[in-house]
Amino acid sequence: PARIAHKGSGEARTGLPRRSTLRVLIPNLGSTSLKYQLIESHNEAVLARGSIDRIGGAESQIISWEAGSAQEARAVGHVPEHRAAIKILADHLARLGSGTQPEGGIAAVGFKAVHGGPRYCGSFLVNDDLLAAMQDFVPVAPVHNPVYIQAMQIFREILPGVPMVAVFETGFHATLPEHAYIYGVPWEWGEKYGVRRYGFHGSSHRYIAQRVPDLLRRSSAGLRLVSCHLGGSSSLCAIQSGLAVDTSMGFSPQAGLEQSSRPGDLDPFVVLHVMEREKLAPREVVQLLCKKSGLLGISGLSNDVRDLEKAAAEGHARARLALQVFVYELKKHLGAYAAALGGLDAVAFAGGIGENSWRIREQVCSGLEFLGLHFDPEANRLPAQGDRVISAPDSAIAVLVVHTNEELMVARETVKVLAATRGMT
Ligand code: ADP
């Protein structure tokens, strides 16, 4: 098992504060990683955070933990699979709780779950029916759902009696009007299989919808905002008065913008044609669409915008093209959402790309002066930290960089579900 050596101030040994509080554990499951935050509900402080990377890899694993800024621990060991990683996390949290509170005093576990289909579009207590609904949608979210189903089951075993809440990424988009979520397909597909636009990255878009009015020192009433969550996967959301009215992902997280290694919007007949020509089974084509497409597929080089920006600057034509496609799709969606919202007041960039790539932000915003968007390239390029406005003072549309906080949204939703459940019993 991995050894964890502590270093830092004396507080490292004292562990978490002992006063009674509602502590919500937010695990963030990747296919080979487990990150977590432990959030105190009263003041929304992050009591502890950490990650286990390269789960299942042959090489040594890196594990790091911290509580506030006072504690950091690193260890190298072998973590064969998620169950072992979750056990290490639970043991670690129990230790942080100084042995006085079981499981470190965790009141609930909140999951940023992806797809629960039509019946679970919001935030819900995890139970067998919810797990079955997620299982039903595994083919639609093959990268995301299985790892969360497995993690929920393991957490239930390892932390028996601790309530678990699934905060579905689709939940924020539940306010989409019918004309924005209905597809032109045989009507019974909707009734039988839940075929419709759902939208994803709900926790991030929800955070941005709340954060932008704060940053602009105005109410969200009447605010026409486009939230751009651009990261390993990317989506846009058109938000009117704080509520989602359209979004770029669809029935699955595969739709919309070009993703790092997934195609985004694609004519379905491309898939049928290639399947027939290459005699591909559904499983094989899913692999190609999930792992070999998007920015990686176009560039033939990398799925990471950092690599592509570097290569494009050095003259790599397909890297440049991959970025051009990404930027063009973003710009087109902004135009479409300006039309859908009847004008625009703000555009916010978030996620690993949105927060870090000044080039992408600059390219997306250039040429949109006709909408009243006046960009401030200087402000945009400043290596500033933190949330900020990067449009010119005379711009009719505010452009912002927002450091999204999905874990906080999941924690708040989890507390809401707990409160509602307790109110009912
Ligand atoms: P995930 O969606 O997996 O949580 P992130 O939101 O962290 O991922 O986004 C990851 C992506 O952000 C990387 O693939 C990379 O393309 C991009 N990124 C991170 N830092 C930078 C940077 N400094 N410049 C450009 N792109 C960046």
Side-chain angles (χ1 to χ4, degrees):
R3 282 183 299 116
I4 296 175
H6 292 280
K7 62 177 185 184
S9 76
E11 273 186 63
R13 283 182 299 278
T14 338
L16 297 172
R18 290 186 188 191
R19 69 193 166 84
S20 155
T21 182
L22 201 60
R23 289 169 186 170
V24 185
L25 174 65
I26 315 291
N28 182 343
L29 278 300
S31 51
T32 62
S33 71
L34 165 62
K35 297 183 194 136
Y36 83 92
Q37 287 190 16
L38 187 62
I39 297 180
E40 186 176 14
S41 63
H42 289 76
N43 58 5
E44 301 189 331
V46 178
L47 298 174
R49 71 171 90 223
S51 65
I52 300 178
D53 293 319
R54 296 182 220 173
I55 296 169
E59 291 176 10
S60 299
Q61 317 308 315
I62 299 166
I63 303 163
S64 65
W65 317 98
E66 47 181 279
S69 56
Q71 176 174 327
E72 186 185 289
R74 283 183 183 279
V76 174
H78 178 58
V79 184
E81 30 77 71
H82 280 89
R83 178 179 299 275
I86 293 167
K87 184 77 176 68
I88 291 170
L89 170 59
D91 289 348
H92 175 72
L93 292 174
R95 270 202 301 282
L96 280 182
S98 313
T100 55
Q101 303 173 66
E103 289 90 31
I106 297 167
V109 184
F111 295 94
K112 186 164 71 82
V114 174
H115 213 330
R119 287 190 299 123
Y120 289 100
C121 189
S123 306
F124 304 88
L125 278 178
V126 175
N127 59 25
D128 290 343
D129 188 62
L130 178 142
L131 288 167
M134 285 179 71
Q135 187 65 44
D136 268 357
F137 274 74
V138 163
V140 188
V143 185
H144 303 99
N145 268 18
V147 67
Y148 269 93
I149 294 171
Q150 188 201 23
M152 286 169 179
Q153 284 163 336
I154 300 171
F155 270 103
R156 281 212 298 195
E157 284 167 30
I158 289 182
L159 302 179
V162 175
M164 314 267 156
V165 174
V167 179
F168 285 101
E169 290 282 71
T170 51
F172 182 63
H173 307 292
T175 52
L176 256 59
E178 212 174 16
H179 61 253
Y181 72 71
I182 290 290
Y183 290 130
V185 292
W187 189 252
E188 57 277 15
W189 289 10
E191 289 163 351
K192 275 192 191 160
Y193 308 119
V195 171
R196 52 161 286 174
R197 181 186 302 281
Y198 289 94
F200 297 87
H201 294 134
S203 289
S204 180
H205 292 306
R206 189 191 298 279
Y207 180 79
I208 294 162
Q210 295 174 9
R211 181 77 177 130
V212 167
D214 280 353
L215 292 167
L216 297 178
R217 296 195 176 83
R218 56 162 289 176
S219 127
S220 68
L223 182 74
R224 297 163 301 180
L225 163 68
V226 177
S227 163
C228 309
H229 178 97
L230 312 178
S233 71
S234 304
S235 75
L236 272 68
C237 184
I239 298 167
Q240 173 102 45
S241 300
L243 302 179
V245 295
D246 203 352
T247 192
S248 60
M249 283 181 166
F251 177 61
S252 78
Q254 323 304 340
L257 299 170
E258 208 68 34
Q259 313 292 348
S260 55
S261 55
R262 311 199 304 272
D265 283 344
L266 182 66
D267 182 336
F269 281 75
V270 170
V271 180
L272 300 176
H273 183 73
V274 175
M275 280 179 84
E276 197 171 299
R277 287 297 161 100
E278 301 214 348
K279 306 274 176 274
L280 294 176
R283 192 181 296 270
E284 293 169 308
V285 81
V286 164
Q287 276 297 103
L288 295 171
L289 289 171
C290 288
K291 305 261 187 235
K292 300 275 183 204
S293 302
L295 297 173
L296 174 65
I298 299 175
S299 69
L301 184 71
S302 168
N303 62 7
D304 192 303
V305 166
R306 285 165 292 201
D307 298 340
L308 297 180
E309 286 185 336
K310 184 164 176 289
E314 290 163 358
H316 193 294
R318 277 174 58 187
R320 196 170 67 230
L321 182 60
L323 293 171
Q324 281 170 338
V325 169
F326 186 63
V327 166
Y328 179 65
E329 287 292 324
L330 271 163
K331 211 186 268 266
K332 263 200 325 197
H333 272 87
L334 279 185
Y337 289 169
L341 291 165
L344 269 186
D345 301 304
V347 176
F349 290 95
I353 301 169
E355 291 163 31
N356 295 307
S357 174
W358 62 263
R359 286 186 188 84
I360 296 280
R361 295 193 301 258
E362 185 173 287
Q363 288 162 18
V364 171
C365 292
S366 70
L368 297 184
E369 293 76 15
F370 76 98
L371 284 175
L373 192 159
H374 297 281
F375 198 60
D376 182 345
E378 305 284 309
N380 179 47
R381 284 187 197 203
L382 279 179
Q385 298 293 315
D387 298 347
R388 60 198 187 276
V389 174
I390 53 168
S391 44
D394 64 339
S395 182
I397 301 173
V399 183
L400 303 98
V401 178
V402 174
H403 291 72
T404 196
N405 194 341
E406 296 162 293
E407 287 80 5
L408 179 61
M409 293 295 99
V410 174
R412 282 189 193 163
E413 288 287 303
T414 301
V415 169
K416 268 197 228 166
V417 170
L418 281 191
T421 313
R422 284 173 186 169
M424 274 162 47
T425 51

